[in-house]
PDB file of all heavy atoms in Angstrom:
ATOM      1  N   TRP P   1     -41.863 -68.230 -10.173  1.00  0.00           N
ATOM      2  CA  TRP P   1     -41.797 -66.901  -9.571  1.00  0.00           C
ATOM      3  C   TRP P   1     -42.072 -66.917  -8.074  1.00  0.00           C
ATOM      4  O   TRP P   1     -42.924 -67.667  -7.591  1.00  0.00           O
ATOM      5  CB  TRP P   1     -42.814 -65.972 -10.240  1.00  0.00           C
ATOM      6  CG  TRP P   1     -42.468 -65.597 -11.643  1.00  0.00           C
ATOM      7  CD1 TRP P   1     -43.017 -66.110 -12.788  1.00  0.00           C
ATOM      8  CD2 TRP P   1     -41.505 -64.630 -12.058  1.00  0.00           C
ATOM      9  NE1 TRP P   1     -42.437 -65.531 -13.896  1.00  0.00           N
ATOM     10  CE2 TRP P   1     -41.508 -64.612 -13.474  1.00  0.00           C
ATOM     11  CE3 TRP P   1     -40.628 -63.780 -11.379  1.00  0.00           C
ATOM     12  CZ2 TRP P   1     -40.674 -63.778 -14.221  1.00  0.00           C
ATOM     13  CZ3 TRP P   1     -39.800 -62.943 -12.120  1.00  0.00           C
ATOM     14  CH2 TRP P   1     -39.821 -62.948 -13.526  1.00  0.00           C
ATOM     15  N   GLY P   2     -41.349 -66.063  -7.376  1.00  0.00           N
ATOM     16  CA  GLY P   2     -41.681 -65.766  -5.995  1.00  0.00           C
ATOM     17  C   GLY P   2     -42.736 -64.684  -5.947  1.00  0.00           C
ATOM     18  O   GLY P   2     -43.312 -64.298  -6.972  1.00  0.00           O
ATOM     19  N   LEU P   3     -42.984 -64.173  -4.754  1.00  0.00           N
ATOM     20  CA  LEU P   3     -44.001 -63.139  -4.552  1.00  0.00           C
ATOM     21  C   LEU P   3     -43.607 -61.840  -5.247  1.00  0.00           C
ATOM     22  O   LEU P   3     -42.447 -61.441  -5.225  1.00  0.00           O
ATOM     23  CB  LEU P   3     -44.158 -62.881  -3.050  1.00  0.00           C
ATOM     24  CG  LEU P   3     -45.111 -61.760  -2.636  1.00  0.00           C
ATOM     25  CD1 LEU P   3     -46.552 -62.147  -2.935  1.00  0.00           C
ATOM     26  CD2 LEU P   3     -44.934 -61.440  -1.158  1.00  0.00           C
ATOM     27  N   TRP P   4     -44.585 -61.184  -5.871  1.00  0.00           N
ATOM     28  CA  TRP P   4     -44.400 -59.834  -6.404  1.00  0.00           C
ATOM     29  C   TRP P   4     -45.008 -58.859  -5.400  1.00  0.00           C
ATOM     30  O   TRP P   4     -46.049 -59.128  -4.801  1.00  0.00           O
ATOM     31  CB  TRP P   4     -45.074 -59.673  -7.761  1.00  0.00           C
ATOM     32  CG  TRP P   4     -44.354 -60.371  -8.879  1.00  0.00           C
ATOM     33  CD1 TRP P   4     -44.177 -61.721  -9.019  1.00  0.00           C
ATOM     34  CD2 TRP P   4     -43.698 -59.756  -9.994  1.00  0.00           C
ATOM     35  NE1 TRP P   4     -43.455 -61.988 -10.154  1.00  0.00           N
ATOM     36  CE2 TRP P   4     -43.150 -60.810 -10.783  1.00  0.00           C
ATOM     37  CE3 TRP P   4     -43.527 -58.444 -10.418  1.00  0.00           C
ATOM     38  CZ2 TRP P   4     -42.444 -60.561 -11.955  1.00  0.00           C
ATOM     39  CZ3 TRP P   4     -42.832 -58.211 -11.594  1.00  0.00           C
ATOM     40  CH2 TRP P   4     -42.280 -59.261 -12.349  1.00  0.00           C
ATOM     41  N   SER P   5     -44.357 -57.726  -5.226  1.00  0.00           N
ATOM     42  CA  SER P   5     -44.809 -56.771  -4.210  1.00  0.00           C
ATOM     43  C   SER P   5     -45.983 -55.930  -4.673  1.00  0.00           C
ATOM     44  O   SER P   5     -46.655 -55.295  -3.865  1.00  0.00           O
ATOM     45  CB  SER P   5     -43.658 -55.849  -3.792  1.00  0.00           C
ATOM     46  OG  SER P   5     -43.121 -55.168  -4.918  1.00  0.00           O
ATOM     47  N   ALA P   6     -46.256 -55.894  -5.971  1.00  0.00           N
ATOM     48  CA  ALA P   6     -47.405 -55.132  -6.465  1.00  0.00           C
ATOM     49  C   ALA P   6     -48.687 -55.688  -5.860  1.00  0.00           C
ATOM     50  O   ALA P   6     -48.834 -56.894  -5.672  1.00  0.00           O
ATOM     51  CB  ALA P   6     -47.461 -55.197  -7.990  1.00  0.00           C
ATOM     52  N   GLY P   7     -49.624 -54.811  -5.563  1.00  0.00           N
ATOM     53  CA  GLY P   7     -50.846 -55.225  -4.872  1.00  0.00           C
ATOM     54  C   GLY P   7     -51.871 -55.895  -5.749  1.00  0.00           C
ATOM     55  O   GLY P   7     -52.906 -56.332  -5.261  1.00  0.00           O
ATOM     56  N   ASP P   8     -51.620 -55.981  -7.059  1.00  0.00           N
ATOM     57  CA  ASP P   8     -52.592 -56.629  -7.939  1.00  0.00           C
ATOM     58  C   ASP P   8     -52.160 -58.065  -8.203  1.00  0.00           C
ATOM     59  O   ASP P   8     -51.180 -58.551  -7.663  1.00  0.00           O
ATOM     60  CB  ASP P   8     -52.736 -55.847  -9.251  1.00  0.00           C
ATOM     61  CG  ASP P   8     -51.383 -55.628  -9.938  1.00  0.00           C
ATOM     62  OD1 ASP P   8     -50.365 -56.103  -9.397  1.00  0.00           O
ATOM     63  OD2 ASP P   8     -51.344 -54.977 -10.995  1.00  0.00           O
ATOM     64  N   GLY P   9     -52.910 -58.733  -9.058  1.00  0.00           N
ATOM     65  CA  GLY P   9     -52.580 -60.125  -9.360  1.00  0.00           C
ATOM     66  C   GLY P   9     -52.862 -61.032  -8.176  1.00  0.00           C
ATOM     67  O   GLY P   9     -53.557 -60.673  -7.224  1.00  0.00           O
ATOM     68  N   MET P  10     -52.294 -62.235  -8.208  1.00  0.00           N
ATOM     69  CA  MET P  10     -52.560 -63.226  -7.162  1.00  0.00           C
ATOM     70  C   MET P  10     -51.994 -62.777  -5.824  1.00  0.00           C
ATOM     71  O   MET P  10     -52.530 -63.110  -4.770  1.00  0.00           O
ATOM     72  CB  MET P  10     -51.984 -64.578  -7.563  1.00  0.00           C
ATOM     73  CG  MET P  10     -52.617 -65.145  -8.828  1.00  0.00           C
ATOM     74  SD  MET P  10     -52.007 -66.778  -9.229  1.00  0.00           S
ATOM     75  CE  MET P  10     -52.831 -67.753  -7.997  1.00  0.00           C
ATOM     76  N   GLY P  11     -50.866 -62.029  -5.854  1.00  0.00           N
ATOM     77  CA  GLY P  11     -50.296 -61.537  -4.598  1.00  0.00           C
ATOM     78  C   GLY P  11     -51.246 -60.632  -3.840  1.00  0.00           C
ATOM     79  O   GLY P  11     -51.215 -60.564  -2.615  1.00  0.00           O
ATOM     80  N   GLY P  12     -52.117 -59.942  -4.580  1.00  0.00           N
ATOM     81  CA  GLY P  12     -53.080 -59.061  -3.938  1.00  0.00           C
ATOM     82  C   GLY P  12     -54.156 -59.805  -3.181  1.00  0.00           C
ATOM     83  O   GLY P  12     -54.874 -59.201  -2.374  1.00  0.00           O
ATOM     84  N   GLU P  13     -54.278 -61.117  -3.434  1.00  0.00           N
ATOM     85  CA  GLU P  13     -55.292 -61.918  -2.738  1.00  0.00           C
ATOM     86  C   GLU P  13     -54.768 -62.494  -1.424  1.00  0.00           C
ATOM     87  O   GLU P  13     -55.527 -63.080  -0.658  1.00  0.00           O
ATOM     88  CB  GLU P  13     -55.746 -63.066  -3.637  1.00  0.00           C
ATOM     89  CG  GLU P  13     -56.379 -62.608  -4.948  1.00  0.00           C
ATOM     90  CD  GLU P  13     -56.754 -63.774  -5.841  1.00  0.00           C
ATOM     91  OE1 GLU P  13     -56.817 -64.901  -5.327  1.00  0.00           O
ATOM     92  OE2 GLU P  13     -56.986 -63.556  -7.043  1.00  0.00           O
ATOM     93  N   LEU P  14     -53.472 -62.334  -1.178  1.00  0.00           N
ATOM     94  CA  LEU P  14     -52.899 -62.884   0.047  1.00  0.00           C
ATOM     95  C   LEU P  14     -53.303 -62.044   1.251  1.00  0.00           C
ATOM     96  O   LEU P  14     -53.325 -60.815   1.189  1.00  0.00           O
ATOM     97  CB  LEU P  14     -51.370 -62.932  -0.067  1.00  0.00           C
ATOM     98  CG  LEU P  14     -50.789 -63.839  -1.154  1.00  0.00           C
ATOM     99  CD1 LEU P  14     -49.281 -63.696  -1.213  1.00  0.00           C
ATOM    100  CD2 LEU P  14     -51.168 -65.292  -0.895  1.00  0.00           C
ATOM    101  N   SER P  15     -53.596 -62.722   2.348  1.00  0.00           N
ATOM    102  CA  SER P  15     -53.929 -62.018   3.587  1.00  0.00           C
ATOM    103  C   SER P  15     -52.650 -61.547   4.270  1.00  0.00           C
ATOM    104  O   SER P  15     -51.542 -61.961   3.909  1.00  0.00           O
ATOM    105  CB  SER P  15     -54.700 -62.955   4.530  1.00  0.00           C
ATOM    106  OG  SER P  15     -53.845 -64.007   4.973  1.00  0.00           O
ATOM    107  N   GLU P  16     -52.797 -60.705   5.274  1.00  0.00           N
ATOM    108  CA  GLU P  16     -51.634 -60.251   6.024  1.00  0.00           C
ATOM    109  C   GLU P  16     -50.949 -61.433   6.703  1.00  0.00           C
ATOM    110  O   GLU P  16     -49.716 -61.470   6.807  1.00  0.00           O
ATOM    111  CB  GLU P  16     -52.055 -59.223   7.079  1.00  0.00           C
ATOM    112  CG  GLU P  16     -50.904 -58.680   7.923  1.00  0.00           C
ATOM    113  CD  GLU P  16     -49.776 -58.087   7.083  1.00  0.00           C
ATOM    114  OE1 GLU P  16     -50.061 -57.457   6.053  1.00  0.00           O
ATOM    115  OE2 GLU P  16     -48.597 -58.292   7.457  1.00  0.00           O
ATOM    116  N   ALA P  17     -51.731 -62.423   7.135  1.00  0.00           N
ATOM    117  CA  ALA P  17     -51.142 -63.617   7.747  1.00  0.00           C
ATOM    118  C   ALA P  17     -50.294 -64.380   6.735  1.00  0.00           C
ATOM    119  O   ALA P  17     -49.211 -64.869   7.057  1.00  0.00           O
ATOM    120  CB  ALA P  17     -52.245 -64.524   8.301  1.00  0.00           C
ATOM    121  N   ASP P  18     -50.782 -64.473   5.479  1.00  0.00           N
ATOM    122  CA  ASP P  18     -50.013 -65.152   4.430  1.00  0.00           C
ATOM    123  C   ASP P  18     -48.687 -64.432   4.184  1.00  0.00           C
ATOM    124  O   ASP P  18     -47.627 -65.068   4.085  1.00  0.00           O
ATOM    125  CB  ASP P  18     -50.812 -65.190   3.124  1.00  0.00           C
ATOM    126  CG  ASP P  18     -52.071 -66.030   3.227  1.00  0.00           C
ATOM    127  OD1 ASP P  18     -52.051 -67.038   3.956  1.00  0.00           O
ATOM    128  OD2 ASP P  18     -53.074 -65.673   2.586  1.00  0.00           O
ATOM    129  N   LEU P  19     -48.759 -63.106   4.085  1.00  0.00           N
ATOM    130  CA  LEU P  19     -47.548 -62.320   3.829  1.00  0.00           C
ATOM    131  C   LEU P  19     -46.572 -62.431   4.995  1.00  0.00           C
ATOM    132  O   LEU P  19     -45.353 -62.498   4.797  1.00  0.00           O
ATOM    133  CB  LEU P  19     -47.924 -60.857   3.587  1.00  0.00           C
ATOM    134  CG  LEU P  19     -48.765 -60.586   2.326  1.00  0.00           C
ATOM    135  CD1 LEU P  19     -49.221 -59.138   2.292  1.00  0.00           C
ATOM    136  CD2 LEU P  19     -47.966 -60.916   1.069  1.00  0.00           C
ATOM    137  N   ARG P  20     -47.110 -62.457   6.219  1.00  0.00           N
ATOM    138  CA  ARG P  20     -46.248 -62.573   7.395  1.00  0.00           C
ATOM    139  C   ARG P  20     -45.526 -63.912   7.399  1.00  0.00           C
ATOM    140  O   ARG P  20     -44.330 -63.976   7.720  1.00  0.00           O
ATOM    141  CB  ARG P  20     -47.074 -62.421   8.679  1.00  0.00           C
ATOM    142  CG  ARG P  20     -46.221 -62.423   9.945  1.00  0.00           C
ATOM    143  CD  ARG P  20     -47.065 -62.249  11.187  1.00  0.00           C
ATOM    144  NE  ARG P  20     -47.979 -63.361  11.397  1.00  0.00           N
ATOM    145  CZ  ARG P  20     -49.288 -63.287  11.250  1.00  0.00           C
ATOM    146  NH1 ARG P  20     -49.860 -62.158  10.859  1.00  0.00           N
ATOM    147  NH2 ARG P  20     -50.068 -64.346  11.455  1.00  0.00           N
ATOM    148  N   ARG P  21     -46.207 -64.994   7.033  1.00  0.00           N
ATOM    149  CA  ARG P  21     -45.554 -66.303   6.978  1.00  0.00           C
ATOM    150  C   ARG P  21     -44.396 -66.293   5.986  1.00  0.00           C
ATOM    151  O   ARG P  21     -43.352 -66.892   6.229  1.00  0.00           O
ATOM    152  CB  ARG P  21     -46.567 -67.380   6.567  1.00  0.00           C
ATOM    153  CG  ARG P  21     -47.602 -67.697   7.624  1.00  0.00           C
ATOM    154  CD  ARG P  21     -48.439 -68.903   7.228  1.00  0.00           C
ATOM    155  NE  ARG P  21     -49.605 -69.004   8.084  1.00  0.00           N
ATOM    156  CZ  ARG P  21     -50.833 -68.661   7.715  1.00  0.00           C
ATOM    157  NH1 ARG P  21     -51.044 -68.214   6.488  1.00  0.00           N
ATOM    158  NH2 ARG P  21     -51.844 -68.753   8.556  1.00  0.00           N
ATOM    159  N   MET P  22     -44.597 -65.615   4.869  1.00  0.00           N
ATOM    160  CA  MET P  22     -43.547 -65.579   3.856  1.00  0.00           C
ATOM    161  C   MET P  22     -42.358 -64.752   4.337  1.00  0.00           C
ATOM    162  O   MET P  22     -41.200 -65.137   4.139  1.00  0.00           O
ATOM    163  CB  MET P  22     -44.111 -65.027   2.543  1.00  0.00           C
ATOM    164  CG  MET P  22     -45.235 -65.867   1.974  1.00  0.00           C
ATOM    165  SD  MET P  22     -45.879 -65.259   0.402  1.00  0.00           S
ATOM    166  CE  MET P  22     -44.639 -65.890  -0.715  1.00  0.00           C
ATOM    167  N   ARG P  23     -42.644 -63.628   4.985  1.00  0.00           N
ATOM    168  CA  ARG P  23     -41.544 -62.806   5.496  1.00  0.00           C
ATOM    169  C   ARG P  23     -40.766 -63.533   6.578  1.00  0.00           C
ATOM    170  O   ARG P  23     -39.549 -63.376   6.698  1.00  0.00           O
ATOM    171  CB  ARG P  23     -42.082 -61.472   6.039  1.00  0.00           C
ATOM    172  CG  ARG P  23     -42.592 -60.522   4.958  1.00  0.00           C
ATOM    173  CD  ARG P  23     -42.816 -59.142   5.526  1.00  0.00           C
ATOM    174  NE  ARG P  23     -43.850 -59.124   6.553  1.00  0.00           N
ATOM    175  CZ  ARG P  23     -45.140 -58.882   6.310  1.00  0.00           C
ATOM    176  NH1 ARG P  23     -45.545 -58.623   5.068  1.00  0.00           N
ATOM    177  NH2 ARG P  23     -46.031 -58.881   7.289  1.00  0.00           N
ATOM    178  N   GLN P  24     -41.452 -64.358   7.362  1.00  0.00           N
ATOM    179  CA  GLN P  24     -40.787 -65.061   8.456  1.00  0.00           C
ATOM    180  C   GLN P  24     -39.764 -66.072   7.959  1.00  0.00           C
ATOM    181  O   GLN P  24     -38.843 -66.421   8.694  1.00  0.00           O
ATOM    182  CB  GLN P  24     -41.835 -65.763   9.338  1.00  0.00           C
ATOM    183  CG  GLN P  24     -42.612 -64.800  10.231  1.00  0.00           C
ATOM    184  CD  GLN P  24     -43.739 -65.488  10.988  1.00  0.00           C
ATOM    185  OE1 GLN P  24     -44.174 -66.581  10.618  1.00  0.00           O
ATOM    186  NE2 GLN P  24     -44.223 -64.870  12.049  1.00  0.00           N
ATOM    187  N   VAL P  25     -39.915 -66.550   6.726  1.00  0.00           N
ATOM    188  CA  VAL P  25     -38.919 -67.479   6.178  1.00  0.00           C
ATOM    189  C   VAL P  25     -38.013 -66.790   5.169  1.00  0.00           C
ATOM    190  O   VAL P  25     -37.274 -67.445   4.437  1.00  0.00           O
ATOM    191  CB  VAL P  25     -39.588 -68.720   5.539  1.00  0.00           C
ATOM    192  CG1 VAL P  25     -40.331 -69.517   6.577  1.00  0.00           C
ATOM    193  CG2 VAL P  25     -40.508 -68.327   4.382  1.00  0.00           C
ATOM    194  N   GLY P  26     -38.059 -65.450   5.107  1.00  0.00           N
ATOM    195  CA  GLY P  26     -37.102 -64.709   4.313  1.00  0.00           C
ATOM    196  C   GLY P  26     -37.494 -64.443   2.877  1.00  0.00           C
ATOM    197  O   GLY P  26     -36.632 -64.156   2.043  1.00  0.00           O
ATOM    198  N   ILE P  27     -38.784 -64.519   2.544  1.00  0.00           N
ATOM    199  CA  ILE P  27     -39.240 -64.232   1.179  1.00  0.00           C
ATOM    200  C   ILE P  27     -39.821 -62.827   1.127  1.00  0.00           C
ATOM    201  O   ILE P  27     -40.780 -62.516   1.836  1.00  0.00           O
ATOM    202  CB  ILE P  27     -40.298 -65.250   0.723  1.00  0.00           C
ATOM    203  CG1 ILE P  27     -39.705 -66.658   0.711  1.00  0.00           C
ATOM    204  CG2 ILE P  27     -40.834 -64.883  -0.658  1.00  0.00           C
ATOM    205  CD1 ILE P  27     -40.696 -67.740   0.365  1.00  0.00           C
ATOM    206  N   GLU P  28     -39.234 -61.976   0.298  1.00  0.00           N
ATOM    207  CA  GLU P  28     -39.700 -60.611   0.115  1.00  0.00           C
ATOM    208  C   GLU P  28     -40.381 -60.472  -1.237  1.00  0.00           C
ATOM    209  O   GLU P  28     -40.226 -61.320  -2.132  1.00  0.00           O
ATOM    210  CB  GLU P  28     -38.514 -59.642   0.197  1.00  0.00           C
ATOM    211  CG  GLU P  28     -37.797 -59.648   1.546  1.00  0.00           C
ATOM    212  CD  GLU P  28     -38.610 -58.992   2.652  1.00  0.00           C
ATOM    213  OE1 GLU P  28     -39.581 -58.280   2.313  1.00  0.00           O
ATOM    214  OE2 GLU P  28     -38.285 -59.190   3.836  1.00  0.00           O
ATOM    215  N   GLY P  29     -41.123 -59.397  -1.398  1.00  0.00           N
ATOM    216  CA  GLY P  29     -41.810 -59.160  -2.661  1.00  0.00           C
ATOM    217  C   GLY P  29     -40.878 -58.576  -3.718  1.00  0.00           C
ATOM    218  O   GLY P  29     -39.996 -57.766  -3.415  1.00  0.00           O
ATOM    219  N   LEU P  30     -41.072 -58.979  -4.973  1.00  0.00           N
ATOM    220  CA  LEU P  30     -40.317 -58.451  -6.100  1.00  0.00           C
ATOM    221  C   LEU P  30     -40.954 -57.172  -6.613  1.00  0.00           C
ATOM    222  O   LEU P  30     -42.173 -57.117  -6.824  1.00  0.00           O
ATOM    223  CB  LEU P  30     -40.292 -59.463  -7.253  1.00  0.00           C
ATOM    224  CG  LEU P  30     -39.358 -60.666  -7.158  1.00  0.00           C
ATOM    225  CD1 LEU P  30     -39.750 -61.690  -8.218  1.00  0.00           C
ATOM    226  CD2 LEU P  30     -37.929 -60.217  -7.362  1.00  0.00           C
ATOM    227  N   SER P  31     -40.150 -56.135  -6.844  1.00  0.00           N
ATOM    228  CA  SER P  31     -40.656 -54.963  -7.544  1.00  0.00           C
ATOM    229  C   SER P  31     -40.783 -55.319  -9.023  1.00  0.00           C
ATOM    230  O   SER P  31     -40.185 -56.290  -9.506  1.00  0.00           O
ATOM    231  CB  SER P  31     -39.691 -53.779  -7.376  1.00  0.00           C
ATOM    232  OG  SER P  31     -38.450 -54.056  -8.020  1.00  0.00           O
ATOM    233  N   VAL P  32     -41.556 -54.535  -9.757  1.00  0.00           N
ATOM    234  CA  VAL P  32     -41.711 -54.776 -11.187  1.00  0.00           C
ATOM    235  C   VAL P  32     -40.357 -54.688 -11.886  1.00  0.00           C
ATOM    236  O   VAL P  32     -40.007 -55.534 -12.722  1.00  0.00           O
ATOM    237  CB  VAL P  32     -42.708 -53.775 -11.800  1.00  0.00           C
ATOM    238  CG1 VAL P  32     -42.735 -53.911 -13.327  1.00  0.00           C
ATOM    239  CG2 VAL P  32     -44.104 -54.002 -11.222  1.00  0.00           C
ATOM    240  N   GLU P  33     -39.579 -53.680 -11.510  1.00  0.00           N
ATOM    241  CA  GLU P  33     -38.272 -53.504 -12.149  1.00  0.00           C
ATOM    242  C   GLU P  33     -37.365 -54.706 -11.886  1.00  0.00           C
ATOM    243  O   GLU P  33     -36.703 -55.216 -12.797  1.00  0.00           O
ATOM    244  CB  GLU P  33     -37.605 -52.217 -11.642  1.00  0.00           C
ATOM    245  CG  GLU P  33     -38.304 -50.932 -12.039  1.00  0.00           C
ATOM    246  CD  GLU P  33     -39.574 -50.668 -11.237  1.00  0.00           C
ATOM    247  OE1 GLU P  33     -39.744 -51.299 -10.162  1.00  0.00           O
ATOM    248  OE2 GLU P  33     -40.394 -49.842 -11.687  1.00  0.00           O
TER     249      GLU P  33
END
């Protein structure tokens, strides 16, 4: 799995710097749907 956009789970533990690094290489968060 890639990143999920929901704020809970392991993705919720990522810092803004972590999320920014992922966005910079083109990885977006998955919605539940």
